[in-house]
Structures are given as structure tokens and as C-alpha cells.
Amino acid sequence: MATSVTTQKKLFTVITTHVNADFDALASMLAAQKLYPGAHVVFPSAPEKNIRNFFINSIGYLLNMTDINSIDLSDVRKLVLVDTNQSGRIGKFADLLEQPDVEIHIYDHHPESTGDIKAHRAVYRSTGATVTILLDLIREQGIDISADEATIMGLGIYEDTGNFTYPSTTTHDFNAAAYLLSKGANLITLSNLISREIRSDEIKLLNDMIRSVQRIHINGAEIALTRITRNNYVNDFAFLVQKMIKIERLDAIFAIALMGAKIYIIARSQIPEVDVGKIVKSLGGGGHTYAAAASIKNRTLVQVENKLVDILYQKVKPKIIASKLMSTPSITTDADVTCRQAAELMTRYNINALLVTEKTDKGNESEKLVGYITRQVIEKALYLKLGDLPVREYMNTESASVGPDAPLSEIQDKIIENKQRILPVVVQDENEQKIIGVVTRTDLLNVLASNTKKTTRDMHPTLNGSVHARTKKIINFMHERLAPEIVRLLKHLGQVADQNQCNCFLVGGFVRDLLLYRPNQDIDIVIEGDGIEFARKYARLAGARIHAYDKFKTAVIIFPDNFKIDIASARVEYYQFPAALPTVEMSSIKLDLYRRDFTINTLIIQLNSDHFGRLIDFYSAQRDIKAKAIRVLHNLSLAEDPTRVFRAIRFEKRFDFEIGKLTDGLIKNAVKINFFKELSGCRIFSELQLILEEENPIPTIIRLNDYHLLEIVHPELKLTNDMMLLLNSLKKVLAWFDLLFLEESYMKWAVYFMALIKRCDQPTVAAICNRLEIAPRMQTIFVRGRFKADRCLWEMERDPLIINSALREHLADLKTELILYMMAASGKQKIKKAISNYFTDLRYVKLTVKGKDIKKMGVPPGPVYQKILKATLNAKLNGKLKTGHDERTFAKNYVTKLNLNLNKSIGNGHA
């Protein structure tokens, strides 16, 4: 009887990934093999050329690799999918998905969505690379990996995170990479494979892609579409797309390629509003928010492109919504104010339209929007002598509004269709509309112009135009540049602001100098809210005291070690007339910055805990710092405050910048119209003093003269050749004096000021001091002291032999500033040398002999003591006495000589 032998089929597990596998797919398959020992690793199709070459040459021995053509699908009982969850991307393995006896496991970092493969086990996590997820599981199970395995897995993380630069990168990716380095991952291998050079044939293809690019703007996002045709599949197509998005600085790109009989789409995004994963999924592909791909059969390029554009219009979220575009706080007026008062409001805030509100019956603080009125209507009313009538008589009552989440398209429709200059942004609160901001027609035009690339780098910001603040995190830079105690102080300020529910910003020159790598310890803080109240609360917590200035809504916090920080409320200033002091009102940080002098001084750093270290740039300050340009924020800036002219020149020379062309014209106009005539002398002097305290004020003085600004101080102040010689001499003298490191301070500005007024006579100097409202103590130095110094210098220069005692007598009663001025003003080297000797030696010479020593010599106390000591000191100054014994001997001989002269005088008297 024959025996029948039955051969049992060997069932096994397959690990696979998506078609056109990249390094993350390869790394994930290797990691999955560690979790599923004995499983077969199978590519669903030929991998990317880079992957194939690397695999063949380097790592084939690490994987239990099986060719797909040798796989009998009926033998597969478990299918492990990594880096994909789309049935259309796994080739013929899709046939296993409907088999009831096949268990499906998925590990993927792409987000879940409808249409995903249904799995028995699915692990989805939001990470930059899928291998990061699998590494977490490997570490949890205590599975060891070799250095070669760590290198391959590292390739997956580095490629899919763009060397940790893509927005999808997470802390899990950093931690996974750190673990791989600890296991011996080879960074040289990683670098060689990921940072490879672009080949000549790839350059040609990249140029074709750039030439064929079409840019479309959807909901404020700029999206690039490019398409190419090739007879065969192009390896590393994704690599070129990534290069293009960086070169062209795109928000997002969709590259469509007809290669052979298939159409391939590679998509990359750098903004969350364009989720390329969701968009490409609608075309049968897959991916995540920032990177995705698809392959499409039986469609033409035109069909695919048209379909893609339709999807884009459906899926792209608004990049610009009303709450991001609006200006806040909204400036409103009551319906019963007069047209003349409304005109004053518009001028004060530099706006062209006003929202009109009126009180409701719900309380004094409750208002409702009833319309808006434009400058054009107001000016017409004033022309017709209707200025005393209320604005409700002429306001536009048909006013559209939007919510804070309204997209750009809705904003555009309502402003254009309603011919509405100003669009209120409102929220509904308990059956009541609350105005939270406004979008102006200028806001909209600037956005639209930006989207069509019609803006230029030379455009100057305006209050309503500078809507889009550029922001970036600079926490690491702050830690690098600032002392630890300063960083701790700034963080504490932000924490206290959080407790008081207000925004807190570091502003002004401190931020500017931080980016310019210049030291600055003057910390200025602006609070969106009541700055004085904040200062009081912070001072109590910090054990500090404050000085408050209610008129300007500012305060100074003084710490126990006398370190100070300035606190201000975010405020807006307006000027009743040119050169007037400003009137101050509470405001938002954006309006607060608009009142500042130059764009480079409008940078701020937010200090609140959630946004600590966020640099905010409303008015293109970073652009002007990079261009080394001094620019005003608006054309009336210098008319409002002419002292800004002096600051512009001071900053230009301090930073080696250049005054912008428009600002240069405005300065010349300010001088021509003479806005300075209304300036108090005190304000001019304050700016002049700051200029003369600069490290090298000479270039600034030259620039002041170029603009005829020295004549603003006094017509007699002119930069002559003699003055230039004196200024340059002063620079050398002060540099020499500073290097002596003497423990005495002097007023640098005063020395330079004396050089400026050298050619002026005494009455003119007195007139200049009075014009500048210089303090009487300083006037004494300039009006009397300087002329005394000039006379002293005249006498010294005519003395053929200046002995030390005479030199000290000349200089002993003069202030340091006057002596330095004399040293610089002298044209004779022997005088400079003599004064130098006085500073370094002669003024420190003292006697050891005292009055008590003279008394022992039998001399009765009296005025003669001073005469003896002076004679002894002069002898010592002139080098005749070296020791204390020499001094006593000289004094004794001098006393004897005095007695002889006295006796001789008496004898002659008797005769």
C-alpha cells in the first residue's frame, strides 16, 4: 500500500514599505526586522537609485532581503508596513489586504485619515521620521543594535527631517538621533550620503523645473507648480524638488512629472496652511504635512494639474485671516462728536477713516458700531463750514464687518464690493458685538501687492501698512550674547507679566545692539497695559523701588545694587505742532513702535513665558540693519520731533550706516523750513551732548556741518580748517588720557564743546550757552574758564623755558577738561609734553616736610609757613630735592635766609 506524503507550506512575515523607497523607508524596514526576527524584507518596487546603490554596496548583509518576484503571496501570514498607510503605494502587496488570514501591522509618521489601510496593529505618531517610532519600541524592548544598524537608522532620521531643519521635526527625532550616536552611528557616512553634490544632468533638470514654474496665491499662501516631461523615470527627483524649494524660498511646491507612462507628484511645504499630505492623498498619494508624493496612471499632465489646482483651492487654509491682518486697538469716535473733532482725531493718529460708535443701554462701557466716516467726507464738511455738526449726520451707516477668522478672500470681497475704506473686525459676546480691530484698504492693498511680488525693498512702512510682523525665536542667541543674570531678569519680567495678564516686551536700543553685537546695559521694557502698575507689582516682588512719571506713563525700577530698568506703557504720541513735546495716550505695542524715531529702533523681543525670546519686526528693522540704513517710519517724523535729525546723524556715524535717500531729503527739508526754531535749547543741548560723548564724534560733527545744523545752534558755529585740526588733536589727546587709566572722571563732551566754540568771543559763547540752556556751573567753565585757559596757554607758549614749578602754578587751579583742551589747542610739542608731564607726575608731587617741622626750626606760626612750604615744593618740582632729608635741609636754609634778610632789613632801618 502506497504511503501519501503531504508537504506543509512554510508561512512567513513580510516587511515592506512604499514604492520609490527613501532612506527613512529603508531605515524603518531594518528597525522593523529587529522587532520581527526572521521576517523577509521586500521592496514593493525598485527603490530610489541612491538607496539601491547604498544597499548593494554597503548593507545587504544586514537585511534578510528577498526579491519580490520570489514571494508567493499565499505563504504570507503577516504583512508589516512601514512609512506608509496607503494601499496604492505598496505595489502587489495590496492584494493581501483583503485576505482574512493575513495580519496587517502598520508603523507610520504620516497622520491618520479616511481611506487608510485597516490594520490589526497600527502605530501612528507625529514625528519627523518613521524610524524614530520604531526606535522607541526597540529601546522599550531592550533590543540592542550595532553601529552599522545605527548608521542606517540615522540616515532615515537625517533625511526625513532635512538635517533637523524641517518644520515636522520633533524632540523625539533629536532624542532618537542622540541614542544612535551613542550606539556608534557614523556621521561621516551620513554626511556623504545626504549632503551629496548635485550632478550636471540634475542641474539641467532643475533649471527646467525653475523655468516652467507657475506661482499661484491661494488664501495668502504662495504655491509653486512646476511640470516636466522625461522619457524615463528620474532618480532622486524628490531631492531636486527639495533643492528648488530652498533656492526659490517658496511656501510650498508641487512638482508634476510625466516619466514614461506615469505621472509623479512630489510635494513639499514649509507652512502648515498648505498640508501637502492631505492634498496629495486626494490624488491617491500619501505623506505628511510638509512632504508627500503620488504616482498616477492613465491621466494626462493637464488633467492632473487641473485636478491638483482644484484641490488646492479646497484644501489650502487661509494664511492670512482678519485677526492677523487687523490693526489694534481700533480707533473709534462717538456719533455725537463734531466733524471738526473727528478731523483732529484722524490727524492725531494718521488715519483716513474712523469707526463710529454710540453708547447702548447696557451701561456706560457698552458701545455698538453704527457706521464709519472717511477723511474725504470730513474735509468736505469742513470746507462747507459744517465742522460743528455731529459725525452721525454724515457717516456711512451701511458698514460690513468680519469675524477674527475671516479669510483674505472674504476681507477682499467686503472691502472692494462695498467700496469700504475701513473694515471692522468684531466678535459676538453675549448678544453684543465687540470691536477688536480694523482692516484698512491699505492693509489689503499691501497684502495683495506682496502676493504679486510688486513691492520693492525701498518702500517705507506706514502705520496701517506694516501689518505682517516678521518673527523668529532667538532664545539661543540671547543665552549666547547676554549675561545669565540678565536672561534670568528678563524671564522673571515675563513671568510677572503672565501673572498680571499683560504682554511684556524688551524694546529699543538694547534689542538693536543685541543684533549688532554691541554692548548695551540700558534695558527698556514696554507693557501692553498699565506699565506703572506693573512696575509697582514687580518692584514689590523683586525688593526694588520705583520712580513713576504719570504724565508719560513710565517708571524706573531701581534694584538694591542700583541697576535700573525703564518700564513704559505701550503708548501713542501725537504732537500739537512741530517740535512740541508729545501728548501721550495708552496704545498697543504696534502703535507704540510707530511713534519711534527710526526703523532700526522698532525691534522687540517678547518676554512672556509662552513666547519668550520671540523677536518681532513690524517695520522691516532687520532689513534696514542688514542694509545698514537709517530710515524714519513716516514722512512727518522729523516735523513731529526735529531732534530726531541729530539722532539720525549720530546713529549713522556710530554704526557706520547710511541715512536713506528719503530720510536725507526730509532732513534737508526740516533745516530749510527751520523746524528747530520752536525747539527748547535744553532739547538741542541734550542731543548735542550725546553726540559729543560718542567714541569718535568728529565724523558726526562733520555731518552736522554738511546739513548746516551747527548754524542751528548759533550762526557763528562753523566747521573751519582750524577747528578740524583742533578736533583731531583733541581725539589724540583724549585717547592718550584714557589710556592712563587714572581714577578720575571728566566730561568728554565739554572738551569737544570748547573746541566748537573756540573761535567765538566771550559774549557769543555766553549767548550760545543761554540758547542751549546750559547749567550755570558749566557756563562758568565755558564763558570764563576757557578764556582763562587760553590766556594761560598764551603765556606758556611765550615762555622760552617752562620750569616745573611754574607749570604746576599755571595748571593747578584749572579743571581737567580745560587742561585737556589746552593740551590739544597748543601747536607746540614742548607744551604738550609739559602738560603730559603735569598729568602723569607733577600734580602728584607732595612734600614730606610739614608745618610742625618748621615750628621746630624756631619759626613762629604765621603766613610765613606757606611761603617756606611753597619754596620747598618748587625746589622739589624743579628736581633739586630728592629725599625728605633734602626737603628739611632746604627748608632750614630757607628759614636762615629769611632771618638774615630780616636782620639786614632791621639793621638798615636803624642806620
Side-chain angles (χ1 to χ4, degrees):
M1 183 176 178
T3 304
S4 174
V5 180
T6 303
T7 303
Q8 188 171 4
K9 295 179 71 174
K10 184 178 181 181
L11 307 177
F12 56 85
T13 298
V14 165
I15 299 171
T16 192
T17 185
H18 54 80
V19 294
N20 302 321
D22 54 14
F23 278 133
D24 187 33
L26 172 65
S28 298
M29 288 196 293
L30 175 60
Q33 183 179 267
K34 304 292 289 185
L35 295 170
Y36 296 88
H40 293 261
V41 177
V42 185
F43 282 112
S45 66
E48 291 273 3
K49 184 177 180 181
N50 220 25
I51 302 297
R52 183 171 64 251
N53 291 343
F54 177 69
F55 175 76
I56 293 171
N57 296 329
S58 306
I59 65 162
Y61 72 95
L62 291 174
L63 290 169
N64 181 24
M65 183 60 63
T66 303
D67 188 280
I68 189 170
N69 296 318
S70 65
I71 294 288
D72 185 347
L73 295 183
S74 64
D75 294 339
V76 178
R77 284 297 173 266
K78 186 179 291 183
L79 179 65
V80 180
L81 300 174
V82 295
D83 201 33
T84 186
N85 55 16
Q86 299 290 307
S87 60
R89 303 193 71 206
I90 59 175
K92 72 178 190 178
F93 286 116
D95 295 341
L96 294 174
L97 301 179
E98 303 302 324
Q99 300 299 322
D101 55 346
V102 177
E103 192 174 338
I104 309 296
H105 292 192
I106 296 176
Y107 300 89
D108 195 11
H109 72 134
H110 302 110
E112 293 182 84
S113 61
T114 56
D116 288 350
I117 296 171
K118 294 180 180 179
H120 299 85
R121 171 177 168 79
V123 180
Y124 295 100
R125 291 180 191 169
S126 179
T127 57
T130 296
V131 69
T132 298
I133 301 169
L134 293 157
L135 263 173
D136 284 345
L137 298 174
I138 287 172
R139 296 173 69 180
E140 287 172 9
Q141 296 182 28
I143 300 171
D144 194 26
I145 62 174
S146 67
D148 286 346
E149 290 170 333
T151 301
I152 297 163
M153 293 179 194
L155 281 170
I157 295 175
Y158 275 77
E159 182 188 56
D160 249 33
T161 63
N163 296 333
F164 304 104
T165 63
Y166 294 166
S168 56
T169 307
T170 67
T171 54
H172 295 289
D173 301 298
F174 280 99
N175 291 332
Y179 170 72
L180 294 175
L181 285 175
S182 73
K183 303 303 290 185
N186 190 321
L187 289 177
I188 295 176
T189 300
L190 291 174
S191 177
N192 289 339
L193 279 161
I194 291 175
S195 303
R196 67 174 182 83
E197 294 293 328
I198 187 168
R199 301 190 307 269
S200 59
D201 59 314
E202 291 174 331
I203 291 175
K204 184 178 184 303
L205 178 56
L206 184 58
N207 284 334
D208 290 345
M209 292 164 62
I210 292 173
R211 279 196 296 268
S212 68
V213 74
Q214 175 190 358
R215 299 168 191 260
I216 59 175
H217 295 87
I218 301 175
N219 285 333
E222 182 185 56
I223 302 169
L225 300 178
T226 184
R227 60 181 184 178
I228 60 166
T229 301
R230 290 294 185 271
N231 292 330
N232 301 305
Y233 180 75
V234 177
N235 293 301
D236 295 335
F237 182 41
F239 166 74
L240 297 178
V241 175
Q242 190 62 47
K243 282 282 185 187
M244 184 171 171
I245 196 172
K246 288 183 177 179
I247 292 171
E248 296 293 297
R249 298 180 181 179
L250 304 168
D251 287 344
I253 182 173
F254 290 82
I256 309 167
L258 174 59
M259 301 179 188
K262 271 189 181 181
I263 292 176
Y264 298 87
I265 296 177
I266 301 293
R268 295 291 185 267
S269 174
Q270 300 195 93
I271 56 174
E273 290 83 4
V274 184
D275 186 338
V276 294
K278 289 183 178 179
I279 292 166
V280 170
K281 185 172 182 180
S282 300
L283 294 166
H288 54 75
T289 302
Y290 303 103
S295 58
I296 302 169
K297 295 180 181 178
N298 304 320
R299 294 281 184 91
T300 66
L301 271 175
V302 174
Q303 287 176 314
V304 171
E305 186 173 348
N306 289 341
K307 177 68 173 175
L308 173 61
V309 171
D310 288 341
I311 296 169
L312 287 173
Y313 276 100
Q314 296 170 23
K315 301 281 187 181
V316 174
K317 299 174 184 175
K319 184 179 179 182
I320 300 173
I321 57 177
S323 60
K324 292 183 180 180
L325 187 60
M326 69 185 184
S327 299
T328 184
S330 57
I331 299 170
T332 64
T333 187
D334 189 84
D336 290 322
V337 305
T338 66
C339 291
R340 183 171 287 104
Q341 291 170 321
E344 291 172 359
L345 276 176
M346 290 179 179
T347 301
R348 179 187 307 173
Y349 295 109
N350 191 30
I351 56 177
N352 293 313
L354 272 174
L355 295 181
V356 182
T357 61
E358 65 180 9
K359 297 285 190 296
T360 67
D361 54 5
K362 296 182 180 180
N364 290 335
E365 298 299 320
S366 181
E367 295 179 330
K368 66 177 180 180
L369 178 67
V370 293
Y372 70 94
I373 195 163
T374 66
R375 182 184 292 274
Q376 185 179 18
V377 172
I378 289 290
E379 288 177 350
K380 191 73 170 178
L382 295 179
Y383 176 76
L384 296 173
K385 304 188 185 310
L386 303 173
D388 293 328
L389 293 178
V391 294
R392 70 165 65 250
E393 301 294 335
Y394 304 106
M395 69 184 182
N396 190 327
T397 56
E398 297 178 353
S399 173
S401 63
V402 292
D405 295 323
L408 182 63
S409 56
E410 182 182 347
I411 295 168
Q412 181 176 339
D413 288 345
K414 290 191 174 180
I415 287 179
I416 294 175
E417 289 181 10
N418 296 309
K419 296 182 175 60
Q420 195 163 320
R421 183 178 287 276
I422 188 169
L423 183 66
V425 182
V426 299
V427 292
Q428 197 72 27
D429 183 19
E430 297 180 358
N431 300 320
E432 179 183 348
Q433 276 192 338
K434 182 179 179 182
I435 306 168
I436 61 171
V438 294
V439 179
T440 68
R441 191 165 64 187
T442 305
D443 294 335
L444 177 63
L445 289 172
N446 278 341
V447 172
L448 297 178
S450 175
N451 284 347
T452 54
K453 298 296 183 184
K454 290 181 181 177
T455 55
T456 68
R457 293 181 61 83
D458 293 329
M459 287 182 65
H460 289 269
T462 62
L463 175 61
N464 293 322
S466 298
V467 176
H468 303 295
R470 294 172 180 260
T471 64
K472 66 179 178 181
K473 284 281 189 180
I474 60 167
I475 297 176
N476 293 337
F477 182 68
M478 291 171 67
H479 281 286
E480 174 190 330
R481 293 287 305 147
L482 301 177
E485 59 270 19
I486 296 296
V487 176
R488 286 194 295 271
L489 171 65
L490 298 178
K491 285 185 176 179
H492 191 212
L493 287 163
Q495 291 162 2
V496 175
D498 291 338
Q499 294 167 12
N500 288 275
Q501 298 182 332
C502 59
N503 288 324
C504 178
F505 303 94
L506 179 63
V507 304
F510 188 95
V511 183
R512 176 201 66 216
D513 288 348
L514 180 66
L515 297 188
L516 287 172
Y517 291 83
R518 296 175 65 94
N520 190 330
Q521 292 298 311
D522 296 329
I523 296 179
D524 293 314
I525 302 295
V526 167
I527 300 296
E528 276 192 324
D530 191 333
I532 294 178
E533 181 61 26
F534 172 86
R536 289 195 178 104
K537 291 180 179 178
Y538 185 85
R540 284 196 295 270
L541 291 171
R545 65 186 194 278
I546 75 161
H547 290 314
Y549 306 93
D550 290 326
K551 179 180 179 181
F552 293 105
K553 306 186 187 301
T554 61
V556 179
I557 298 177
I558 306 167
F559 293 88
D561 61 357
N562 284 326
F563 183 76
K564 300 176 182 178
I565 57 175
D566 292 320
I567 306 290
S569 307
R571 61 194 195 269
V572 64
E573 298 174 346
Y574 62 91
Y575 296 76
Q576 299 285 1
F577 52 85
L581 286 171
T583 301
V584 177
E585 294 180 358
M586 298 282 278
S587 176
S588 68
I589 187 63
K590 182 180 162 190
L591 287 173
D592 177 274
L593 295 174
Y594 187 68
R595 71 179 177 80
R596 296 178 182 268
D597 46 15
F598 310 110
T599 57
I600 62 169
N601 291 331
T602 61
L603 286 169
I604 59 174
I605 298 174
Q606 190 159 6
L607 301 182
N608 298 81
S609 301
D610 289 347
H611 300 289
F612 183 81
R614 182 173 69 156
L615 180 71
I616 304 174
D617 182 2
F618 280 105
Y619 299 111
S620 302
Q622 293 174 91
R623 177 201 67 186
D624 287 344
I625 287 175
K626 185 177 180 180
K628 305 184 79 171
I630 304 292
R631 293 190 174 104
V632 292
L633 275 81
H634 57 88
N635 292 15
L636 291 175
S637 176
L638 304 184
E640 290 179 344
D641 185 0
T643 62
R644 290 170 177 169
V645 171
F646 295 94
R647 290 202 290 280
I649 296 170
R650 175 159 56 91
F651 290 149
E652 179 189 48
K653 295 308 173 185
R654 178 196 292 179
F655 302 130
D656 192 25
F657 280 22
E658 185 176 346
I659 292 174
K661 187 175 180 180
L662 172 63
T663 306
D664 174 76
L666 293 173
I667 292 175
K668 291 173 180 175
N669 182 64
V671 174
K672 179 181 177 181
I673 298 175
N674 195 9
F675 285 145
F676 308 91
K677 63 184 178 184
E678 299 296 337
L679 275 177
S680 68
C682 181
R683 294 184 69 194
I684 294 177
F685 172 65
S686 178
E687 294 297 333
L688 188 59
Q689 186 176 3
L690 289 171
I691 287 171
L692 299 180
E693 281 288 350
E694 288 287 306
E695 183 178 349
N696 178 17
I698 298 174
T700 311
I701 293 170
I702 295 171
R703 198 78 158 112
L704 289 173
N705 188 68
D706 292 341
Y707 282 116
H708 305 287
L709 285 165
L710 290 178
E711 300 169 29
I712 295 296
V713 179
H714 194 278
E716 289 296 316
L717 286 187
K718 294 177 182 177
L719 191 61
T720 62
N721 290 336
D722 287 343
M723 187 187 289
M724 278 301 303
L725 290 173
L726 178 55
L727 289 170
N728 285 313
S729 178
L730 259 180
K731 179 185 173 185
K732 294 175 184 177
V733 166
L734 296 183
W736 165 82
F737 188 75
D738 290 339
L739 288 174
L740 294 179
F741 297 105
L742 302 176
E743 292 185 1
E744 66 175 288
S745 61
Y746 70 99
M747 294 175 289
K748 179 180 179 181
W749 71 267
V751 186
Y752 275 109
F753 187 72
M754 283 187 279
L756 291 180
I757 60 176
K758 178 171 173 52
R759 64 187 296 270
C760 300
D761 58 24
Q762 209 159 358
T764 302
V765 173
I768 292 172
C769 289
N770 289 330
R771 165 71 177 106
L772 296 179
E773 301 176 33
I774 294 175
R777 175 178 63 89
M778 296 306 302
Q779 287 201 35
T780 301
I781 295 176
F782 300 138
V783 178
R784 297 179 186 172
R786 200 214 89 206
F787 288 93
K788 180 180 178 182
D790 282 338
R791 283 194 302 272
C792 181
L793 183 59
W794 182 84
E795 293 170 2
M796 289 170 60
E797 288 182 337
R798 276 148 187 79
D799 189 345
L801 182 64
I802 305 174
I803 60 173
N804 290 343
S805 57
L807 177 64
R808 175 153 163 167
E809 188 168 350
H810 277 306
L811 302 180
D813 294 333
L814 295 178
K815 290 186 174 294
T816 300
E817 293 82 2
L818 291 167
I819 301 172
L820 290 170
Y821 160 77
M822 289 171 62
M823 188 175 180
S826 176
K828 295 188 176 182
Q829 196 61 35
K830 71 169 186 175
I831 301 296
K832 294 180 184 291
K833 189 173 181 180
I835 296 176
S836 170
N837 186 37
Y838 170 79
F839 270 124
T840 57
D841 186 19
L842 296 184
R843 65 175 175 162
Y844 300 112
V845 173
K846 293 181 180 179
L847 292 175
T848 58
V849 67
K850 305 294 181 185
K852 63 182 180 180
D853 299 310
I854 299 172
K855 188 175 182 181
K856 289 178 182 178
M857 297 174 191
V859 180
V864 70
Y865 276 34
Q866 186 176 0
K867 187 174 182 180
I868 296 168
L869 290 173
K870 183 177 180 181
T872 307
L873 177 60
N874 287 344
K876 185 171 184 177
L877 287 168
N878 295 330
K880 296 177 180 179
L881 310 177
K882 302 296 183 184
T883 66
H885 176 73
D886 293 343
E887 292 177 26
R888 287 188 294 275
T889 302
F890 178 88
K892 192 172 183 180
N893 292 335
Y894 192 78
V895 169
T896 302
K897 183 179 178 182
L898 281 176
N899 288 334
L900 286 173
N901 289 336
L902 180 62
N903 291 334
K904 190 180 293 184
S905 174
I906 292 171
N908 291 336
H910 284 296

